[in-house]
PDB file of all heavy atoms in Angstrom:
ATOM      1  N   ARG A   1     -88.326 200.498-121.143  1.00 91.00           N
ATOM      2  CA  ARG A   1     -89.251 199.396-121.379  1.00 91.00           C
ATOM      3  C   ARG A   1     -89.384 198.526-120.139  1.00 91.00           C
ATOM      4  O   ARG A   1     -88.380 198.183-119.525  1.00 91.00           O
ATOM      5  CB  ARG A   1     -88.791 198.582-122.576  1.00 91.00           C
ATOM      6  CG  ARG A   1     -88.938 199.266-123.927  1.00 91.00           C
ATOM      7  CD  ARG A   1     -88.379 198.340-124.988  1.00 91.00           C
ATOM      8  NE  ARG A   1     -89.154 197.161-125.167  1.00 91.00           N
ATOM      9  CZ  ARG A   1     -89.907 196.876-126.214  1.00 91.00           C
ATOM     10  NH1 ARG A   1     -89.996 197.790-127.208  1.00 91.00           N
ATOM     11  NH2 ARG A   1     -90.569 195.741-126.280  1.00 91.00           N
ATOM     12  N   GLU A   2     -90.591 198.043-119.909  1.00 88.00           N
ATOM     13  CA  GLU A   2     -90.776 197.203-118.678  1.00 88.00           C
ATOM     14  C   GLU A   2     -90.441 195.788-118.942  1.00 88.00           C
ATOM     15  O   GLU A   2     -90.253 195.012-118.012  1.00 88.00           O
ATOM     16  CB  GLU A   2     -92.235 197.348-118.241  1.00 88.00           C
ATOM     17  CG  GLU A   2     -92.631 198.717-117.724  1.00 88.00           C
ATOM     18  CD  GLU A   2     -94.075 198.776-117.221  1.00 88.00           C
ATOM     19  OE1 GLU A   2     -94.731 197.745-117.309  1.00 88.00           O
ATOM     20  OE2 GLU A   2     -94.462 199.859-116.689  1.00 88.00           O
ATOM     21  N   ASP A   3     -90.334 195.396-120.281  1.00 92.00           N
ATOM     22  CA  ASP A   3     -90.075 193.963-120.493  1.00 92.00           C
ATOM     23  C   ASP A   3     -88.545 193.666-120.657  1.00 92.00           C
ATOM     24  O   ASP A   3     -88.133 192.532-120.853  1.00 92.00           O
ATOM     25  CB  ASP A   3     -90.724 193.570-121.827  1.00 92.00           C
ATOM     26  CG  ASP A   3     -90.386 194.397-123.054  1.00 92.00           C
ATOM     27  OD1 ASP A   3     -89.435 195.249-122.921  1.00 92.00           O
ATOM     28  OD2 ASP A   3     -90.979 194.193-124.154  1.00 92.00           O
ATOM     29  N   GLY A   4     -87.691 194.760-120.522  1.00 91.00           N
ATOM     30  CA  GLY A   4     -86.255 194.514-120.587  1.00 91.00           C
ATOM     31  C   GLY A   4     -85.683 194.230-121.933  1.00 91.00           C
ATOM     32  O   GLY A   4     -84.572 193.809-122.051  1.00 91.00           O
ATOM     33  N   ARG A   5     -86.486 194.502-122.995  1.00 96.00           N
ATOM     34  CA  ARG A   5     -85.966 194.228-124.353  1.00 96.00           C
ATOM     35  C   ARG A   5     -85.432 195.509-124.934  1.00 96.00           C
ATOM     36  O   ARG A   5     -85.608 196.598-124.494  1.00 96.00           O
ATOM     37  CB  ARG A   5     -87.147 193.685-125.153  1.00 96.00           C
ATOM     38  CG  ARG A   5     -87.647 192.262-124.713  1.00 96.00           C
ATOM     39  CD  ARG A   5     -88.983 191.951-125.247  1.00 96.00           C
ATOM     40  NE  ARG A   5     -89.086 191.998-126.666  1.00 96.00           N
ATOM     41  CZ  ARG A   5     -88.759 190.951-127.490  1.00 96.00           C
ATOM     42  NH1 ARG A   5     -88.314 189.839-126.925  1.00 96.00           N
ATOM     43  NH2 ARG A   5     -88.897 191.025-128.757  1.00 96.00           N
ATOM     44  N   TYR A   6     -84.745 195.370-126.042  1.00 97.00           N
ATOM     45  CA  TYR A   6     -84.089 196.479-126.812  1.00 97.00           C
ATOM     46  C   TYR A   6     -83.138 197.287-125.948  1.00 97.00           C
ATOM     47  O   TYR A   6     -83.026 198.495-126.086  1.00 97.00           O
ATOM     48  CB  TYR A   6     -85.190 197.297-127.453  1.00 97.00           C
ATOM     49  CG  TYR A   6     -85.846 196.637-128.621  1.00 97.00           C
ATOM     50  CD1 TYR A   6     -87.016 195.863-128.397  1.00 97.00           C
ATOM     51  CD2 TYR A   6     -85.369 196.761-129.896  1.00 97.00           C
ATOM     52  CE1 TYR A   6     -87.596 195.163-129.425  1.00 97.00           C
ATOM     53  CE2 TYR A   6     -85.975 196.058-130.963  1.00 97.00           C
ATOM     54  CZ  TYR A   6     -87.060 195.315-130.756  1.00 97.00           C
ATOM     55  OH  TYR A   6     -87.644 194.568-131.824  1.00 97.00           O
ATOM     56  N   CYS A   7     -82.483 196.567-125.066  1.00 96.00           N
ATOM     57  CA  CYS A   7     -81.347 197.239-124.328  1.00 96.00           C
ATOM     58  C   CYS A   7     -80.535 196.008-123.782  1.00 96.00           C
ATOM     59  O   CYS A   7     -81.044 194.864-123.775  1.00 96.00           O
ATOM     60  CB  CYS A   7     -81.832 198.156-123.266  1.00 96.00           C
ATOM     61  SG  CYS A   7     -82.767 197.252-121.924  1.00 96.00           S
ATOM     62  N   TRP A   8     -79.348 196.352-123.299  1.00 97.00           N
ATOM     63  CA  TRP A   8     -78.608 195.334-122.538  1.00 97.00           C
ATOM     64  C   TRP A   8     -79.152 195.203-121.160  1.00 97.00           C
ATOM     65  O   TRP A   8     -79.438 196.250-120.511  1.00 97.00           O
ATOM     66  CB  TRP A   8     -77.146 195.700-122.467  1.00 97.00           C
ATOM     67  CG  TRP A   8     -76.357 195.559-123.752  1.00 97.00           C
ATOM     68  CD1 TRP A   8     -75.787 196.557-124.486  1.00 97.00           C
ATOM     69  CD2 TRP A   8     -75.972 194.366-124.395  1.00 97.00           C
ATOM     70  NE1 TRP A   8     -75.106 196.045-125.597  1.00 97.00           N
ATOM     71  CE2 TRP A   8     -75.200 194.715-125.504  1.00 97.00           C
ATOM     72  CE3 TRP A   8     -76.179 192.965-124.059  1.00 97.00           C
ATOM     73  CZ2 TRP A   8     -74.669 193.686-126.376  1.00 97.00           C
ATOM     74  CZ3 TRP A   8     -75.628 192.027-124.937  1.00 97.00           C
ATOM     75  CH2 TRP A   8     -74.958 192.350-126.085  1.00 97.00           C
ATOM     76  N   ARG A   9     -79.373 193.989-120.717  1.00 97.00           N
ATOM     77  CA  ARG A   9     -79.982 193.747-119.401  1.00 97.00           C
ATOM     78  C   ARG A   9     -79.228 192.625-118.757  1.00 97.00           C
ATOM     79  O   ARG A   9     -79.046 191.520-119.384  1.00 97.00           O
ATOM     80  CB  ARG A   9     -81.422 193.505-119.470  1.00 97.00           C
ATOM     81  CG  ARG A   9     -82.096 193.179-118.131  1.00 97.00           C
ATOM     82  CD  ARG A   9     -83.596 193.061-118.300  1.00 97.00           C
ATOM     83  NE  ARG A   9     -84.260 192.612-117.032  1.00 97.00           N
ATOM     84  CZ  ARG A   9     -84.567 191.334-116.783  1.00 97.00           C
ATOM     85  NH1 ARG A   9     -84.376 190.421-117.698  1.00 97.00           N
ATOM     86  NH2 ARG A   9     -85.114 191.076-115.609  1.00 97.00           N
ATOM     87  N   VAL A  10     -78.883 192.777-117.468  1.00 98.00           N
ATOM     88  CA  VAL A  10     -78.323 191.646-116.677  1.00 98.00           C
ATOM     89  C   VAL A  10     -79.430 190.771-116.261  1.00 98.00           C
ATOM     90  O   VAL A  10     -80.234 191.169-115.362  1.00 98.00           O
ATOM     91  CB  VAL A  10     -77.527 192.161-115.511  1.00 98.00           C
ATOM     92  CG1 VAL A  10     -76.906 190.984-114.711  1.00 98.00           C
ATOM     93  CG2 VAL A  10     -76.345 193.149-115.922  1.00 98.00           C
ATOM     94  N   GLU A  11     -79.521 189.542-116.863  1.00 97.00           N
ATOM     95  CA  GLU A  11     -80.643 188.725-116.505  1.00 97.00           C
ATOM     96  C   GLU A  11     -80.394 187.804-115.390  1.00 97.00           C
ATOM     97  O   GLU A  11     -81.326 187.426-114.666  1.00 97.00           O
ATOM     98  CB  GLU A  11     -81.026 187.898-117.771  1.00 97.00           C
ATOM     99  CG  GLU A  11     -81.537 188.712-118.917  1.00 97.00           C
ATOM    100  CD  GLU A  11     -82.098 187.928-120.057  1.00 97.00           C
ATOM    101  OE1 GLU A  11     -81.647 186.754-120.269  1.00 97.00           O
ATOM    102  OE2 GLU A  11     -82.943 188.373-120.792  1.00 97.00           O
ATOM    103  N   LYS A  12     -79.104 187.399-115.199  1.00 97.00           N
ATOM    104  CA  LYS A  12     -78.810 186.434-114.064  1.00 97.00           C
ATOM    105  C   LYS A  12     -77.431 186.765-113.527  1.00 97.00           C
ATOM    106  O   LYS A  12     -76.582 187.299-114.151  1.00 97.00           O
ATOM    107  CB  LYS A  12     -78.751 185.002-114.624  1.00 97.00           C
ATOM    108  CG  LYS A  12     -80.089 184.432-114.999  1.00 97.00           C
ATOM    109  CD  LYS A  12     -80.039 182.968-115.310  1.00 97.00           C
ATOM    110  CE  LYS A  12     -79.178 182.614-116.450  1.00 97.00           C
ATOM    111  NZ  LYS A  12     -79.157 181.140-116.770  1.00 97.00           N
ATOM    112  N   GLU A  13     -77.303 186.442-112.224  1.00 97.00           N
ATOM    113  CA  GLU A  13     -76.012 186.557-111.530  1.00 97.00           C
ATOM    114  C   GLU A  13     -75.872 185.197-110.735  1.00 97.00           C
ATOM    115  O   GLU A  13     -76.747 184.880-109.988  1.00 97.00           O
ATOM    116  CB  GLU A  13     -75.928 187.737-110.621  1.00 97.00           C
ATOM    117  CG  GLU A  13     -74.661 187.815-109.789  1.00 97.00           C
ATOM    118  CD  GLU A  13     -74.653 188.966-108.809  1.00 97.00           C
ATOM    119  OE1 GLU A  13     -75.548 189.821-108.953  1.00 97.00           O
ATOM    120  OE2 GLU A  13     -73.858 188.982-107.943  1.00 97.00           O
ATOM    121  N   GLN A  14     -74.768 184.506-111.019  1.00 95.00           N
ATOM    122  CA  GLN A  14     -74.603 183.230-110.343  1.00 95.00           C
ATOM    123  C   GLN A  14     -73.142 182.911-110.149  1.00 95.00           C
ATOM    124  O   GLN A  14     -72.273 183.542-110.749  1.00 95.00           O
ATOM    125  CB  GLN A  14     -75.262 182.109-111.078  1.00 95.00           C
ATOM    126  CG  GLN A  14     -74.789 181.981-112.523  1.00 95.00           C
ATOM    127  CD  GLN A  14     -75.584 181.027-113.363  1.00 95.00           C
ATOM    128  OE1 GLN A  14     -76.239 180.098-112.802  1.00 95.00           O
ATOM    129  NE2 GLN A  14     -75.534 181.208-114.664  1.00 95.00           N
ATOM    130  N   THR A  15     -72.870 182.048-109.239  1.00 93.00           N
ATOM    131  CA  THR A  15     -71.500 181.470-109.040  1.00 93.00           C
ATOM    132  C   THR A  15     -71.318 180.247-109.827  1.00 93.00           C
ATOM    133  O   THR A  15     -72.130 179.393-109.730  1.00 93.00           O
ATOM    134  CB  THR A  15     -71.201 181.254-107.530  1.00 93.00           C
ATOM    135  OG1 THR A  15     -71.351 182.533-106.819  1.00 93.00           O
ATOM    136  CG2 THR A  15     -69.825 180.773-107.339  1.00 93.00           C
ATOM    137  N   ALA A  16     -70.243 180.144-110.578  1.00 87.00           N
ATOM    138  CA  ALA A  16     -70.027 178.985-111.429  1.00 87.00           C
ATOM    139  C   ALA A  16     -68.678 178.349-111.121  1.00 87.00           C
ATOM    140  O   ALA A  16     -67.736 179.066-110.690  1.00 87.00           O
ATOM    141  CB  ALA A  16     -70.081 179.353-112.930  1.00 87.00           C
ATOM    142  N   LYS A  17     -68.617 177.084-111.319  1.00 84.00           N
ATOM    143  CA  LYS A  17     -67.343 176.369-111.309  1.00 84.00           C
ATOM    144  C   LYS A  17     -67.211 175.564-112.570  1.00 84.00           C
ATOM    145  O   LYS A  17     -67.989 174.697-112.918  1.00 84.00           O
ATOM    146  CB  LYS A  17     -67.299 175.375-110.092  1.00 84.00           C
ATOM    147  CG  LYS A  17     -67.202 176.015-108.742  1.00 84.00           C
ATOM    148  CD  LYS A  17     -67.093 175.005-107.649  1.00 84.00           C
ATOM    149  CE  LYS A  17     -66.938 175.671-106.290  1.00 84.00           C
ATOM    150  NZ  LYS A  17     -66.746 174.635-105.184  1.00 84.00           N
ATOM    151  N   ARG A  18     -66.207 175.973-113.389  1.00 83.00           N
ATOM    152  CA  ARG A  18     -66.047 175.339-114.704  1.00 83.00           C
ATOM    153  C   ARG A  18     -64.576 174.960-114.885  1.00 83.00           C
ATOM    154  O   ARG A  18     -63.675 175.657-114.404  1.00 83.00           O
ATOM    155  CB  ARG A  18     -66.512 176.275-115.822  1.00 83.00           C
ATOM    156  CG  ARG A  18     -67.992 176.649-115.704  1.00 83.00           C
ATOM    157  CD  ARG A  18     -68.412 177.630-116.735  1.00 83.00           C
ATOM    158  NE  ARG A  18     -69.840 178.029-116.491  1.00 83.00           N
ATOM    159  CZ  ARG A  18     -70.425 179.029-117.152  1.00 83.00           C
ATOM    160  NH1 ARG A  18     -69.798 179.694-118.019  1.00 83.00           N
ATOM    161  NH2 ARG A  18     -71.680 179.366-116.868  1.00 83.00           N
ATOM    162  N   ARG A  19     -64.375 173.933-115.670  1.00 87.00           N
ATOM    163  CA  ARG A  19     -63.039 173.493-115.950  1.00 87.00           C
ATOM    164  C   ARG A  19     -62.591 174.240-117.198  1.00 87.00           C
ATOM    165  O   ARG A  19     -63.031 174.029-118.335  1.00 87.00           O
ATOM    166  CB  ARG A  19     -62.964 171.991-116.189  1.00 87.00           C
ATOM    167  CG  ARG A  19     -61.608 171.458-116.515  1.00 87.00           C
ATOM    168  CD  ARG A  19     -61.568 169.967-116.512  1.00 87.00           C
ATOM    169  NE  ARG A  19     -61.847 169.417-115.178  1.00 87.00           N
ATOM    170  CZ  ARG A  19     -61.951 168.110-114.936  1.00 87.00           C
ATOM    171  NH1 ARG A  19     -61.751 167.268-115.918  1.00 87.00           N
ATOM    172  NH2 ARG A  19     -62.157 167.689-113.723  1.00 87.00           N
ATOM    173  N   ILE A  20     -61.681 175.139-116.981  1.00 92.00           N
ATOM    174  CA  ILE A  20     -61.098 176.016-118.076  1.00 92.00           C
ATOM    175  C   ILE A  20     -59.590 175.852-118.028  1.00 92.00           C
ATOM    176  O   ILE A  20     -58.950 176.158-116.971  1.00 92.00           O
ATOM    177  CB  ILE A  20     -61.572 177.449-117.904  1.00 92.00           C
ATOM    178  CG1 ILE A  20     -63.052 177.600-118.062  1.00 92.00           C
ATOM    179  CG2 ILE A  20     -60.816 178.379-118.938  1.00 92.00           C
ATOM    180  CD1 ILE A  20     -63.614 178.927-117.713  1.00 92.00           C
ATOM    181  N   LYS A  21     -58.969 175.436-119.086  1.00 93.00           N
ATOM    182  CA  LYS A  21     -57.566 175.275-119.153  1.00 93.00           C
ATOM    183  C   LYS A  21     -56.873 176.633-118.858  1.00 93.00           C
ATOM    184  O   LYS A  21     -57.261 177.656-119.484  1.00 93.00           O
ATOM    185  CB  LYS A  21     -57.137 174.740-120.503  1.00 93.00           C
ATOM    186  CG  LYS A  21     -55.669 174.319-120.560  1.00 93.00           C
ATOM    187  CD  LYS A  21     -55.374 173.618-121.864  1.00 93.00           C
ATOM    188  CE  LYS A  21     -53.902 173.163-121.918  1.00 93.00           C
ATOM    189  NZ  LYS A  21     -53.516 172.505-123.177  1.00 93.00           N
ATOM    190  N   GLY A  22     -55.886 176.634-118.042  1.00 91.00           N
ATOM    191  CA  GLY A  22     -55.187 177.798-117.731  1.00 91.00           C
ATOM    192  C   GLY A  22     -55.631 178.388-116.321  1.00 91.00           C
ATOM    193  O   GLY A  22     -54.973 179.283-115.781  1.00 91.00           O
ATOM    194  N   LEU A  23     -56.717 177.872-115.815  1.00 88.00           N
ATOM    195  CA  LEU A  23     -57.198 178.238-114.441  1.00 88.00           C
ATOM    196  C   LEU A  23     -57.125 177.037-113.538  1.00 88.00           C
ATOM    197  O   LEU A  23     -57.099 175.917-113.963  1.00 88.00           O
ATOM    198  CB  LEU A  23     -58.618 178.775-114.516  1.00 88.00           C
ATOM    199  CG  LEU A  23     -58.897 179.996-115.429  1.00 88.00           C
ATOM    200  CD1 LEU A  23     -60.397 180.397-115.330  1.00 88.00           C
ATOM    201  CD2 LEU A  23     -58.053 181.186-115.003  1.00 88.00           C
ATOM    202  N   ALA A  24     -57.174 177.335-112.238  1.00 78.00           N
ATOM    203  CA  ALA A  24     -57.187 176.247-111.308  1.00 78.00           C
ATOM    204  C   ALA A  24     -58.460 175.372-111.556  1.00 78.00           C
ATOM    205  O   ALA A  24     -59.526 175.853-111.977  1.00 78.00           O
ATOM    206  CB  ALA A  24     -57.239 176.779-109.863  1.00 78.00           C
ATOM    207  N   GLU A  25     -58.338 174.068-111.364  1.00 71.00           N
ATOM    208  CA  GLU A  25     -59.433 173.178-111.643  1.00 71.00           C
ATOM    209  C   GLU A  25     -60.680 173.538-110.844  1.00 71.00           C
ATOM    210  O   GLU A  25     -60.699 173.857-109.650  1.00 71.00           O
ATOM    211  CB  GLU A  25     -59.041 171.700-111.275  1.00 71.00           C
ATOM    212  CG  GLU A  25     -60.138 170.721-111.653  1.00 71.00           C
ATOM    213  CD  GLU A  25     -59.681 169.251-111.457  1.00 71.00           C
ATOM    214  OE1 GLU A  25     -58.467 169.141-111.068  1.00 71.00           O
ATOM    215  OE2 GLU A  25     -60.413 168.398-111.711  1.00 71.00           O
ATOM    216  N   HIS A  26     -61.775 173.619-111.624  1.00 68.00           N
ATOM    217  CA  HIS A  26     -63.106 174.037-111.058  1.00 68.00           C
ATOM    218  C   HIS A  26     -62.992 175.409-110.332  1.00 68.00           C
ATOM    219  O   HIS A  26     -63.542 175.622-109.253  1.00 68.00           O
ATOM    220  CB  HIS A  26     -63.628 172.958-110.063  1.00 68.00           C
ATOM    221  CG  HIS A  26     -63.818 171.640-110.743  1.00 68.00           C
ATOM    222  ND1 HIS A  26     -64.610 171.414-111.806  1.00 68.00           N
ATOM    223  CD2 HIS A  26     -63.258 170.453-110.391  1.00 68.00           C
ATOM    224  CE1 HIS A  26     -64.594 170.199-112.129  1.00 68.00           C
ATOM    225  NE2 HIS A  26     -63.769 169.519-111.332  1.00 68.00           N
ATOM    226  N   HIS A  27     -62.286 176.307-110.936  1.00 71.00           N
ATOM    227  CA  HIS A  27     -62.090 177.623-110.407  1.00 71.00           C
ATOM    228  C   HIS A  27     -63.452 178.326-110.304  1.00 71.00           C
ATOM    229  O   HIS A  27     -64.202 178.483-111.221  1.00 71.00           O
ATOM    230  CB  HIS A  27     -61.173 178.456-111.341  1.00 71.00           C
ATOM    231  CG  HIS A  27     -60.972 179.831-110.979  1.00 71.00           C
ATOM    232  ND1 HIS A  27     -60.130 180.157-109.855  1.00 71.00           N
ATOM    233  CD2 HIS A  27     -61.491 181.019-111.334  1.00 71.00           C
ATOM    234  CE1 HIS A  27     -60.106 181.435-109.694  1.00 71.00           C
ATOM    235  NE2 HIS A  27     -60.984 182.013-110.609  1.00 71.00           N
ATOM    236  N   PRO A  28     -63.849 178.731-109.047  1.00 81.00           N
ATOM    237  CA  PRO A  28     -65.161 179.427-108.967  1.00 81.00           C
ATOM    238  C   PRO A  28     -65.094 180.876-109.271  1.00 81.00           C
ATOM    239  O   PRO A  28     -64.123 181.552-108.980  1.00 81.00           O
ATOM    240  CB  PRO A  28     -65.421 179.237-107.446  1.00 81.00           C
ATOM    241  CG  PRO A  28     -64.064 179.174-106.787  1.00 81.00           C
ATOM    242  CD  PRO A  28     -63.135 178.544-107.798  1.00 81.00           C
ATOM    243  N   PHE A  29     -66.109 181.402-109.963  1.00 89.00           N
ATOM    244  CA  PHE A  29     -66.148 182.810-110.254  1.00 89.00           C
ATOM    245  C   PHE A  29     -67.610 183.217-110.467  1.00 89.00           C
ATOM    246  O   PHE A  29     -68.532 182.337-110.653  1.00 89.00           O
ATOM    247  CB  PHE A  29     -65.364 183.082-111.549  1.00 89.00           C
ATOM    248  CG  PHE A  29     -65.577 182.095-112.662  1.00 89.00           C
ATOM    249  CD1 PHE A  29     -66.653 182.096-113.473  1.00 89.00           C
ATOM    250  CD2 PHE A  29     -64.558 181.088-112.891  1.00 89.00           C
ATOM    251  CE1 PHE A  29     -66.809 181.193-114.519  1.00 89.00           C
ATOM    252  CE2 PHE A  29     -64.747 180.179-113.883  1.00 89.00           C
ATOM    253  CZ  PHE A  29     -65.849 180.194-114.741  1.00 89.00           C
ATOM    254  N   THR A  30     -67.885 184.531-110.306  1.00 95.00           N
ATOM    255  CA  THR A  30     -69.235 185.061-110.482  1.00 95.00           C
ATOM    256  C   THR A  30     -69.435 185.330-111.961  1.00 95.00           C
ATOM    257  O   THR A  30     -68.542 185.869-112.690  1.00 95.00           O
ATOM    258  CB  THR A  30     -69.345 186.397-109.702  1.00 95.00           C
ATOM    259  OG1 THR A  30     -69.147 186.117-108.336  1.00 95.00           O
ATOM    260  CG2 THR A  30     -70.748 187.012-109.912  1.00 95.00           C
ATOM    261  N   VAL A  31     -70.596 184.818-112.441  1.00 97.00           N
ATOM    262  CA  VAL A  31     -70.935 185.074-113.878  1.00 97.00           C
ATOM    263  C   VAL A  31     -72.208 185.857-113.973  1.00 97.00           C
ATOM    264  O   VAL A  31     -73.210 185.567-113.317  1.00 97.00           O
ATOM    265  CB  VAL A  31     -71.144 183.668-114.530  1.00 97.00           C
ATOM    266  CG1 VAL A  31     -71.589 183.895-116.032  1.00 97.00           C
ATOM    267  CG2 VAL A  31     -69.881 182.866-114.518  1.00 97.00           C
ATOM    268  N   TYR A  32     -72.166 186.890-114.863  1.00 98.00           N
ATOM    269  CA  TYR A  32     -73.421 187.683-115.146  1.00 98.00           C
ATOM    270  C   TYR A  32     -73.794 187.366-116.557  1.00 98.00           C
ATOM    271  O   TYR A  32     -72.976 187.388-117.516  1.00 98.00           O
ATOM    272  CB  TYR A  32     -73.061 189.216-115.089  1.00 98.00           C
ATOM    273  CG  TYR A  32     -72.630 189.639-113.663  1.00 98.00           C
ATOM    274  CD1 TYR A  32     -71.334 189.617-113.326  1.00 98.00           C
ATOM    275  CD2 TYR A  32     -73.612 190.134-112.743  1.00 98.00           C
ATOM    276  CE1 TYR A  32     -70.928 190.036-112.016  1.00 98.00           C
ATOM    277  CE2 TYR A  32     -73.182 190.563-111.501  1.00 98.00           C
ATOM    278  CZ  TYR A  32     -71.872 190.493-111.146  1.00 98.00           C
ATOM    279  OH  TYR A  32     -71.515 190.929-109.893  1.00 98.00           O
ATOM    280  N   SER A  33     -75.098 186.953-116.717  1.00 98.00           N
ATOM    281  CA  SER A  33     -75.639 186.765-118.065  1.00 98.00           C
ATOM    282  C   SER A  33     -76.323 187.997-118.504  1.00 98.00           C
ATOM    283  O   SER A  33     -77.319 188.469-117.920  1.00 98.00           O
ATOM    284  CB  SER A  33     -76.641 185.582-118.042  1.00 98.00           C
ATOM    285  OG  SER A  33     -75.993 184.356-117.757  1.00 98.00           O
TER     286      SER A  33
END
C-alpha cells in the first residue's frame, strides 16, 4: 500500500531526552515511532 496503512510502519526517527527513573538524568536515546 502506498499510504502506509494496514501494516507496521516506522513513521518517525528522532533523538529524545527524557527523565526516566533508573536511567541517567535526561538520558539521550534514539526513538522510533
Side-chain angles (χ1 to χ4, degrees):
R1 289 178 65 110
E2 294 184 357
D3 59 6
R5 293 160 60 85
Y6 288 89
C7 65
W8 287 111
R9 177 172 174 263
V10 180
E11 294 188 333
K12 290 190 296 184
E13 177 183 346
Q14 57 189 335
T15 300
K17 289 185 178 181
R18 298 177 187 170
R19 182 171 295 177
I20 297 171
K21 190 174 181 179
L23 300 180
E25 186 173 357
H26 301 302
H27 178 75
F29 42 80
T30 301
V31 176
Y32 298 88
S33 291

